[in-house]
Every structure is written in structure tokens, then in C-alpha cells.
Amino acid sequence: MATALDVPIPHRQQGVVPWLVSRQAFWVFAAVVGACIFLSFATNSFATANNLFNVTRNFTFTAVIALGMTIVIITGGIDLSVGSVLCLCSMILGEVMHAGYSLELGIAAALATALVVGAVNGVLIAYVGMPSFVVTLGMLSFARSLAMVASDNTVVYQFGPDQAKLLFLGGGAWLFGIANPVVYMVILALGTGFALRWTRFGRYVFAIGGNEKAAILTGVPVRRIKVAVYMISALSAGIAGVIETGWLGAVTTNLGAGMELQVIAATVIGGANLAGGVGTAFGALIGSALIEIIRNSLGLLGISAFWQGAFVGAFIIIAVSFDRIRNFRQAE
């Protein structure tokens, strides 16, 4: 808990500006703003309303999952199953609605599935003592296999009587013309940020990531918190699956394939430390936004999309290097 309690100290000793420039998320935000300004002048289509609408909508799916992943990473764990969980929950939603049931029942079934998957991950990691990498890697394969079984490996694109509601849920814009997924993302980000900064749960999460043995000695219910953390991560993937299904209007068994790597990249770029103890909801959003802007800009500038991985990888290395330099300075 010392890690969480020590956060406000730099504000008082250094002032707001020095504290800001020492935050990785600030520099990533600056990179996002700089890239947007550059692309606005370098291309004729980036700053158009249609393109900005697409950019903000597209990165929300990664961002929503990154919020849950950030909490996992703060505890020092990892969740490689989120892409497959997204696919499984989307398929459950599609199959339930295809059978003629309501949108509400479909969403309930999808999110309940996510919670069960997260609980299984959490119990195996927290109570059985298995490494999070191994457990979630196994769940990555298991969950996608279940999605194939549930759909007989076919595409689901007919969602019964509530199909229009589902499509509006993911593809509409009911608030000031802002895409619905963006609204959901902002609400979830505010909730995640509040929980991490102002609740006992958030203090426990940082305590576990900072020093798990010390957290146990101080009475933190480490096992229960870990189970809750992996349930939240799976739930975030389930929510993203529901939203993305409404946006795409169809579910395939390759939905979310490889998404776990993109989500982890977003969290690391946004300032989360894979060793645990560091991470913010804002960083998850900014890291996700930067990856989407990279993807969008390559097409607008006429650069091959194959370079996307190179740019994202470079930003990951830069982000980790920034964190290492900051740690060296604090150690001096």
C-alpha cells in the first residue's frame, strides 16, 4: 500500500509541471497530439469529421479491454486470453439472439460467460498458484475453441427480433453525434480511474503489485483481489465483444485474434509496468489511441500497413526505456 500512498508526494514536493513531465502517459499524450497536428497538415483526410469519427470509434475496443488489462498488470500479472474471451462472449451473444431471445438476455449471457472465465483464471492463479502466463495462455486456446463449438465454426449475422437494437448499441451515436462505443469507453475509464485512485480495492491492487508479500502481512486479501482482478479483465473483454458485435453486425470465430498483444502493447505504451505496481486508466486510453492513430496514418500517408507492427514495437521499446531511465533517476 506504500506505493499507492506515496503517489501524491511528488505533487507537493515538485509541483504540477515537473510531476506531469515525469509521467510516461503525459509524453504519450503529447505524441498523440503531435501526430494529430502533423497528419492534419500532411493529409487532406485525417482531420475530416468522418475519419475522426472512425478513429475514435475504432480504438475504443482496444481501450475498453486495456482498462481491465491495466488492473491485471498493476498486480504483476498478465491476461493473454482477452482476445479469445471477446470472441466467445460475442458468439454467445450472437447465438442467444439468433435463437430469438432478447438483446438484454443475450448481453446477460455474454457477460456472465466472461465472469465465469475470469473466475476460472483467477482461482487457478490465486488459489492453485499457477503462473498467470500459463493459465491465460491455456484459456486463450480453450475459449476460442468453445466459440467454434458454440457456432459450429460458422458466421452469425442474424440476431433475431432485437437485431436493430444491437446494431444501434454498437454502431449508433445517440449523444451529440459521438459514437456510442466512445461514450461507453469514457464511462468505463472514469469508473476504472475512480476505483484505482479512490477506493480500497484500488489501494489493494497497487499494494499487491508493489510488494505482494508485504500486502499479505498487512492483511490485504490477496487471493480474493486477484480473482476479482481477472474477472474484471474478462468482463472488460466481454463488454468490448458486445459492443464490437453491434458495430460489425456479425460474429466470426477469428474475431479478436491477436488482440491480446495489441492490448498489452497499449497498456505498456500508456505507462503500465509489467513488473507490477504502476498503471493508470488514462494511460490505457492514450496508449490505445496512439496505436490506432499509427494504423490510420499509415493508410493516409500511403505507407504499407505491414509497417504497423514495426512502429508499435518501436513505441513499446521507447516506453520501456523511458520507464527504466526514470527508475535510474529515482534511485540516484
Side-chain angles (χ1 to χ4, degrees):
M1 285 188 290
T3 302
L5 295 176
D6 287 343
V7 172
I9 293 178
H11 288 271
R12 296 193 294 267
Q13 294 180 343
Q14 300 177 354
V16 175
V17 174
W19 179 82
L20 274 177
V21 298
S22 68
R23 302 294 98 181
Q24 182 172 314
F26 170 80
W27 292 106
V28 178
F29 177 73
V32 169
V33 173
C36 290
I37 294 174
F38 169 77
L39 291 169
S40 297
F41 288 100
T43 69
N44 295 324
S45 53
F46 178 81
T48 61
N50 186 55
N51 186 65
L52 293 177
F53 182 90
N54 289 332
V55 168
T56 54
R57 180 187 59 187
N58 291 347
F59 89 86
T60 56
F61 309 116
T62 299
V64 167
I65 305 178
L67 291 170
M69 182 69 75
T70 296
I71 301 176
V72 171
I73 289 178
I74 291 174
T75 64
I78 198 76
D79 189 350
L80 299 177
S81 66
V82 290
S84 295
V85 173
L86 179 148
C87 178
L88 175 60
C89 293
S90 298
M91 195 61 72
I92 294 296
L93 170 68
E95 289 293 342
V96 169
M97 293 188 65
H98 180 70
Y101 294 101
S102 67
L103 171 63
E104 292 77 14
L105 186 59
I107 293 176
L111 299 187
T113 300
L115 290 173
V116 170
V117 171
V120 171
N121 284 340
V123 168
L124 291 176
I125 293 166
Y127 287 92
V128 182
M130 297 177 66
S132 59
F133 181 91
V134 174
V135 171
T136 58
L137 181 62
M139 187 58 74
L140 178 152
S141 178
F142 187 75
R144 193 166 295 278
S145 178
L146 287 181
M148 293 179 180
V149 171
S151 65
D152 198 24
N153 200 27
T154 58
V155 178
V156 178
Y157 59 91
Q158 294 179 340
F159 300 103
D162 281 355
Q163 177 161 329
K165 292 183 180 179
L166 176 63
L167 297 182
F168 180 78
L169 179 74
W174 60 271
L175 184 64
F176 305 120
I178 301 173
N180 285 348
V182 178
V183 177
Y184 309 145
M185 177 195 69
V186 172
I187 294 173
L188 291 171
L190 291 174
T192 303
F194 177 84
L196 289 175
R197 181 65 181 86
W198 299 106
T199 68
R200 180 181 298 178
F201 171 79
R203 293 194 295 272
Y204 285 170
V205 167
F206 280 103
I208 294 171
N211 191 325
E212 184 172 330
K213 292 182 179 179
I216 295 173
L217 293 175
T218 55
V220 174
V222 171
R223 288 179 174 177
R224 282 184 292 166
I225 294 298
K226 280 190 172 182
V227 173
V229 162
Y230 284 94
M231 290 179 70
I232 291 172
S233 178
L235 181 62
S236 68
I239 293 172
V242 170
I243 300 170
E244 190 165 3
T245 301
W247 173 53
L248 294 174
V251 186
T252 64
T253 52
N254 65 351
L255 186 66
M259 199 170 190
E260 55 281 339
L261 299 181
Q262 186 170 330
V263 169
I264 294 171
T267 57
V268 172
I269 290 173
N273 190 328
L274 290 174
V278 179
T280 63
F282 178 72
L285 300 192
I286 293 301
S288 302
L290 181 60
I291 291 177
E292 174 57 26
I293 288 174
I294 291 173
R295 187 202 65 78
N296 183 261
S297 64
L298 294 180
L300 296 179
L301 295 174
I303 302 174
S304 171
F306 297 144
W307 282 101
Q308 178 179 342
F311 282 103
V312 173
F315 272 103
I316 292 174
I317 294 173
I318 293 171
V320 174
S321 299
F322 180 91
D323 184 66
R324 294 293 296 173
I325 293 171
R326 182 178 59 193
N327 291 338
F328 284 141
R329 288 182 175 178
Q330 290 177 350
E332 292 178 352

Short mmCIF file of all heavy atoms in Angstrom, two decimals, residues 253-298:
data_model
loop_
_atom_site.label_atom_id
_atom_site.label_comp_id
_atom_site.label_asym_id
_atom_site.label_seq_id
_atom_site.Cartn_x
_atom_site.Cartn_y
_atom_site.Cartn_z
N THR A 253 -15.43 -16.64 -35.89
CA THR A 253 -14.60 -17.29 -34.88
C THR A 253 -13.16 -16.77 -34.86
O THR A 253 -12.38 -17.17 -34.00
CB THR A 253 -14.57 -18.82 -35.10
OG1 THR A 253 -14.21 -19.10 -36.46
CG2 THR A 253 -15.93 -19.42 -34.80
N ASN A 254 -12.81 -15.90 -35.79
CA ASN A 254 -11.48 -15.28 -35.73
C ASN A 254 -11.53 -13.87 -35.15
O ASN A 254 -10.54 -13.15 -35.15
CB ASN A 254 -10.82 -15.26 -37.12
CG ASN A 254 -11.57 -14.37 -38.10
OD1 ASN A 254 -12.67 -13.91 -37.81
ND2 ASN A 254 -10.97 -14.14 -39.27
N LEU A 255 -12.70 -13.49 -34.63
CA LEU A 255 -12.84 -12.17 -34.02
C LEU A 255 -11.92 -12.07 -32.79
O LEU A 255 -11.89 -12.96 -31.95
CB LEU A 255 -14.29 -11.96 -33.59
CG LEU A 255 -14.65 -10.56 -33.07
CD1 LEU A 255 -14.53 -9.53 -34.17
CD2 LEU A 255 -16.08 -10.57 -32.51
N GLY A 256 -11.16 -10.99 -32.71
CA GLY A 256 -10.28 -10.78 -31.56
C GLY A 256 -8.97 -11.52 -31.62
O GLY A 256 -8.19 -11.47 -30.67
N ALA A 257 -8.70 -12.22 -32.72
CA ALA A 257 -7.44 -12.97 -32.82
C ALA A 257 -6.25 -12.01 -32.78
O ALA A 257 -6.19 -11.04 -33.53
CB ALA A 257 -7.42 -13.77 -34.12
N GLY A 258 -5.32 -12.27 -31.89
CA GLY A 258 -4.14 -11.42 -31.74
C GLY A 258 -4.38 -10.14 -30.98
O GLY A 258 -3.46 -9.34 -30.80
N MET A 259 -5.60 -9.92 -30.52
CA MET A 259 -5.93 -8.66 -29.85
C MET A 259 -5.23 -8.52 -28.51
O MET A 259 -4.96 -7.41 -28.05
CB MET A 259 -7.44 -8.57 -29.65
CG MET A 259 -7.94 -7.16 -29.40
SD MET A 259 -9.74 -7.07 -29.48
CE MET A 259 -9.96 -5.28 -29.43
N GLU A 260 -4.92 -9.67 -27.87
CA GLU A 260 -4.26 -9.60 -26.57
C GLU A 260 -2.91 -8.89 -26.65
O GLU A 260 -2.55 -8.12 -25.76
CB GLU A 260 -4.08 -11.00 -25.98
CG GLU A 260 -3.36 -11.99 -26.86
CD GLU A 260 -4.23 -12.60 -27.94
OE1 GLU A 260 -5.48 -12.58 -27.80
OE2 GLU A 260 -3.66 -13.08 -28.94
N LEU A 261 -2.19 -9.10 -27.74
CA LEU A 261 -0.89 -8.44 -27.90
C LEU A 261 -1.06 -6.94 -28.10
O LEU A 261 -0.28 -6.14 -27.58
CB LEU A 261 -0.13 -9.07 -29.07
CG LEU A 261 0.18 -10.56 -28.94
CD1 LEU A 261 0.95 -11.05 -30.16
CD2 LEU A 261 0.96 -10.84 -27.67
N GLN A 262 -2.07 -6.56 -28.87
CA GLN A 262 -2.34 -5.14 -29.09
C GLN A 262 -2.75 -4.46 -27.79
O GLN A 262 -2.34 -3.33 -27.51
CB GLN A 262 -3.44 -4.98 -30.14
CG GLN A 262 -3.70 -3.55 -30.55
CD GLN A 262 -4.63 -3.45 -31.75
OE1 GLN A 262 -4.64 -4.34 -32.60
NE2 GLN A 262 -5.41 -2.40 -31.82
N VAL A 263 -3.54 -5.15 -26.97
CA VAL A 263 -3.99 -4.58 -25.70
C VAL A 263 -2.81 -4.43 -24.74
O VAL A 263 -2.67 -3.38 -24.08
CB VAL A 263 -5.07 -5.48 -25.07
CG1 VAL A 263 -5.36 -5.06 -23.63
CG2 VAL A 263 -6.35 -5.42 -25.90
N ILE A 264 -1.98 -5.44 -24.65
CA ILE A 264 -0.81 -5.35 -23.78
C ILE A 264 0.12 -4.24 -24.25
O ILE A 264 0.66 -3.48 -23.43
CB ILE A 264 -0.06 -6.71 -23.74
CG1 ILE A 264 -0.94 -7.76 -23.07
CG2 ILE A 264 1.27 -6.57 -23.01
CD1 ILE A 264 -0.39 -9.17 -23.17
N ALA A 265 0.30 -4.12 -25.57
CA ALA A 265 1.12 -3.03 -26.11
C ALA A 265 0.56 -1.68 -25.71
O ALA A 265 1.31 -0.77 -25.32
CB ALA A 265 1.20 -3.15 -27.63
N ALA A 266 -0.76 -1.52 -25.78
CA ALA A 266 -1.39 -0.25 -25.43
C ALA A 266 -1.15 0.09 -23.96
O ALA A 266 -0.86 1.24 -23.62
CB ALA A 266 -2.89 -0.31 -25.72
N THR A 267 -1.27 -0.89 -23.08
CA THR A 267 -1.08 -0.63 -21.66
C THR A 267 0.37 -0.29 -21.34
O THR A 267 0.63 0.60 -20.52
CB THR A 267 -1.52 -1.84 -20.81
OG1 THR A 267 -0.78 -3.00 -21.22
CG2 THR A 267 -2.99 -2.13 -21.01
N VAL A 268 1.29 -0.98 -21.98
CA VAL A 268 2.72 -0.71 -21.74
C VAL A 268 3.09 0.67 -22.27
O VAL A 268 3.79 1.44 -21.60
CB VAL A 268 3.60 -1.80 -22.37
CG1 VAL A 268 5.07 -1.42 -22.30
CG2 VAL A 268 3.36 -3.14 -21.67
N ILE A 269 2.64 0.99 -23.48
CA ILE A 269 2.91 2.31 -24.04
C ILE A 269 2.30 3.39 -23.16
O ILE A 269 2.89 4.46 -22.96
CB ILE A 269 2.34 2.40 -25.48
CG1 ILE A 269 3.16 1.51 -26.42
CG2 ILE A 269 2.36 3.85 -25.98
CD1 ILE A 269 2.58 1.41 -27.82
N GLY A 270 1.14 3.11 -22.57
CA GLY A 270 0.47 4.08 -21.71
C GLY A 270 1.06 4.23 -20.33
O GLY A 270 0.58 5.04 -19.54
N GLY A 271 2.09 3.43 -20.01
CA GLY A 271 2.78 3.62 -18.74
C GLY A 271 2.68 2.50 -17.75
O GLY A 271 3.29 2.56 -16.67
N ALA A 272 1.92 1.45 -18.04
CA ALA A 272 1.85 0.32 -17.13
C ALA A 272 3.17 -0.44 -17.12
O ALA A 272 3.80 -0.60 -18.17
CB ALA A 272 0.70 -0.61 -17.52
N ASN A 273 3.56 -0.91 -15.94
CA ASN A 273 4.83 -1.63 -15.78
C ASN A 273 4.53 -3.10 -15.63
O ASN A 273 3.78 -3.51 -14.74
CB ASN A 273 5.58 -1.11 -14.54
CG ASN A 273 6.99 -1.64 -14.47
OD1 ASN A 273 7.28 -2.74 -14.91
ND2 ASN A 273 7.89 -0.85 -13.90
N LEU A 274 5.09 -3.93 -16.52
CA LEU A 274 4.82 -5.36 -16.49
C LEU A 274 5.31 -6.01 -15.20
O LEU A 274 4.90 -7.13 -14.88
CB LEU A 274 5.47 -6.04 -17.70
CG LEU A 274 4.81 -5.73 -19.06
CD1 LEU A 274 5.64 -6.34 -20.19
CD2 LEU A 274 3.38 -6.24 -19.11
N ALA A 275 6.19 -5.34 -14.47
CA ALA A 275 6.65 -5.86 -13.18
C ALA A 275 5.63 -5.62 -12.08
O ALA A 275 5.74 -6.18 -10.98
CB ALA A 275 7.99 -5.23 -12.81
N GLY A 276 4.62 -4.79 -12.36
CA GLY A 276 3.56 -4.52 -11.40
C GLY A 276 3.75 -3.21 -10.66
O GLY A 276 4.83 -2.62 -10.64
N GLY A 277 2.66 -2.74 -10.05
CA GLY A 277 2.70 -1.57 -9.19
C GLY A 277 2.50 -0.24 -9.87
O GLY A 277 2.39 0.79 -9.20
N VAL A 278 2.42 -0.21 -11.22
CA VAL A 278 2.30 1.05 -11.95
C VAL A 278 1.28 0.89 -13.07
O VAL A 278 1.30 -0.11 -13.79
CB VAL A 278 3.65 1.49 -12.56
CG1 VAL A 278 3.49 2.79 -13.33
CG2 VAL A 278 4.70 1.65 -11.47
N GLY A 279 0.41 1.90 -13.22
CA GLY A 279 -0.57 1.88 -14.30
C GLY A 279 -1.72 2.82 -14.02
O GLY A 279 -2.04 3.07 -12.85
N THR A 280 -2.32 3.37 -15.08
CA THR A 280 -3.45 4.29 -14.94
C THR A 280 -4.47 4.02 -16.03
O THR A 280 -4.14 3.51 -17.10
CB THR A 280 -3.01 5.76 -15.05
OG1 THR A 280 -2.47 5.99 -16.36
CG2 THR A 280 -1.96 6.12 -14.00
N ALA A 281 -5.72 4.38 -15.75
CA ALA A 281 -6.78 4.25 -16.75
C ALA A 281 -6.51 5.20 -17.92
O ALA A 281 -6.71 4.85 -19.08
CB ALA A 281 -8.13 4.55 -16.12
N PHE A 282 -6.04 6.41 -17.62
CA PHE A 282 -5.73 7.38 -18.67
C PHE A 282 -4.65 6.85 -19.60
O PHE A 282 -4.73 6.99 -20.83
CB PHE A 282 -5.29 8.70 -18.04
CG PHE A 282 -4.91 9.76 -19.04
CD1 PHE A 282 -5.87 10.39 -19.80
CD2 PHE A 282 -3.58 10.12 -19.22
CE1 PHE A 282 -5.52 11.36 -20.73
CE2 PHE A 282 -3.22 11.09 -20.14
CZ PHE A 282 -4.19 11.72 -20.89
N GLY A 283 -3.64 6.22 -19.03
CA GLY A 283 -2.58 5.64 -19.85
C GLY A 283 -3.09 4.58 -20.79
O GLY A 283 -2.64 4.48 -21.94
N ALA A 284 -4.06 3.77 -20.32
CA ALA A 284 -4.64 2.73 -21.18
C ALA A 284 -5.33 3.35 -22.40
O ALA A 284 -5.20 2.85 -23.52
CB ALA A 284 -5.63 1.89 -20.38
N LEU A 285 -6.05 4.45 -22.18
CA LEU A 285 -6.75 5.11 -23.28
C LEU A 285 -5.75 5.73 -24.26
O LEU A 285 -5.90 5.59 -25.48
CB LEU A 285 -7.68 6.19 -22.74
CG LEU A 285 -8.79 5.78 -21.78
CD1 LEU A 285 -9.77 6.94 -21.60
CD2 LEU A 285 -9.52 4.55 -22.27
N ILE A 286 -4.76 6.42 -23.72
CA ILE A 286 -3.79 7.11 -24.59
C ILE A 286 -2.97 6.11 -25.39
O ILE A 286 -2.69 6.32 -26.58
CB ILE A 286 -2.88 8.02 -23.74
CG1 ILE A 286 -3.70 9.16 -23.14
CG2 ILE A 286 -1.74 8.57 -24.57
CD1 ILE A 286 -4.38 10.03 -24.17
N GLY A 287 -2.54 5.02 -24.75
CA GLY A 287 -1.79 4.00 -25.48
C GLY A 287 -2.61 3.39 -26.60
O GLY A 287 -2.10 3.18 -27.71
N SER A 288 -3.88 3.14 -26.34
CA SER A 288 -4.76 2.59 -27.37
C SER A 288 -4.97 3.58 -28.51
O SER A 288 -4.99 3.21 -29.69
CB SER A 288 -6.12 2.22 -26.76
OG SER A 288 -5.97 1.30 -25.71
N ALA A 289 -5.12 4.86 -28.15
CA ALA A 289 -5.31 5.90 -29.17
C ALA A 289 -4.09 6.01 -30.07
O ALA A 289 -4.21 6.15 -31.30
CB ALA A 289 -5.61 7.23 -28.50
N LEU A 290 -2.90 5.94 -29.48
CA LEU A 290 -1.68 6.07 -30.29
C LEU A 290 -1.57 4.93 -31.30
O LEU A 290 -1.20 5.16 -32.46
CB LEU A 290 -0.45 6.08 -29.37
CG LEU A 290 0.90 6.25 -30.07
CD1 LEU A 290 0.96 7.56 -30.85
CD2 LEU A 290 2.05 6.17 -29.07
N ILE A 291 -1.89 3.71 -30.88
CA ILE A 291 -1.82 2.57 -31.80
C ILE A 291 -2.79 2.75 -32.96
O ILE A 291 -2.46 2.48 -34.12
CB ILE A 291 -2.10 1.26 -31.04
CG1 ILE A 291 -0.94 0.95 -30.08
CG2 ILE A 291 -2.31 0.10 -32.01
CD1 ILE A 291 -1.15 -0.28 -29.24
N GLU A 292 -3.99 3.22 -32.67
CA GLU A 292 -4.98 3.42 -33.73
C GLU A 292 -4.56 4.55 -34.67
O GLU A 292 -4.76 4.45 -35.89
CB GLU A 292 -6.35 3.72 -33.13
CG GLU A 292 -7.43 4.08 -34.15
CD GLU A 292 -7.65 3.02 -35.21
OE1 GLU A 292 -7.38 1.83 -34.94
OE2 GLU A 292 -8.09 3.38 -36.32
N ILE A 293 -3.98 5.61 -34.14
CA ILE A 293 -3.52 6.71 -34.99
C ILE A 293 -2.39 6.25 -35.90
O ILE A 293 -2.32 6.64 -37.07
CB ILE A 293 -3.08 7.90 -34.11
CG1 ILE A 293 -4.31 8.56 -33.48
CG2 ILE A 293 -2.31 8.93 -34.93
CD1 ILE A 293 -3.98 9.66 -32.50
N ILE A 294 -1.51 5.39 -35.36
CA ILE A 294 -0.46 4.82 -36.20
C ILE A 294 -1.07 4.04 -37.35
O ILE A 294 -0.68 4.19 -38.52
CB ILE A 294 0.47 3.92 -35.36
CG1 ILE A 294 1.30 4.75 -34.37
CG2 ILE A 294 1.40 3.11 -36.27
CD1 ILE A 294 2.09 3.91 -33.40
N ARG A 295 -2.03 3.18 -37.04
CA ARG A 295 -2.68 2.37 -38.07
C ARG A 295 -3.37 3.25 -39.10
O ARG A 295 -3.24 3.04 -40.30
CB ARG A 295 -3.70 1.44 -37.41
CG ARG A 295 -4.32 0.43 -38.38
CD ARG A 295 -5.65 -0.08 -37.86
NE ARG A 295 -6.65 0.98 -37.80
CZ ARG A 295 -7.30 1.44 -38.86
NH1 ARG A 295 -7.06 0.95 -40.07
NH2 ARG A 295 -8.19 2.41 -38.74
N ASN A 296 -4.07 4.27 -38.63
CA ASN A 296 -4.81 5.15 -39.53
C ASN A 296 -3.87 5.97 -40.40
O ASN A 296 -4.11 6.16 -41.60
CB ASN A 296 -5.73 6.06 -38.71
CG ASN A 296 -6.60 6.95 -39.56
OD1 ASN A 296 -6.29 8.13 -39.76
ND2 ASN A 296 -7.69 6.42 -40.06
N SER A 297 -2.81 6.45 -39.81
CA SER A 297 -1.89 7.34 -40.54
C SER A 297 -1.14 6.62 -41.64
O SER A 297 -0.83 7.22 -42.68
CB SER A 297 -0.90 7.98 -39.56
OG SER A 297 -0.06 7.01 -38.97
N LEU A 298 -0.83 5.35 -41.44
CA LEU A 298 -0.09 4.61 -42.46
C LEU A 298 -0.88 4.58 -43.77
O LEU A 298 -0.32 4.77 -44.85
CB LEU A 298 0.20 3.19 -41.98
CG LEU A 298 1.16 3.05 -40.80
CD1 LEU A 298 1.36 1.59 -40.44
CD2 LEU A 298 2.50 3.70 -41.11
#
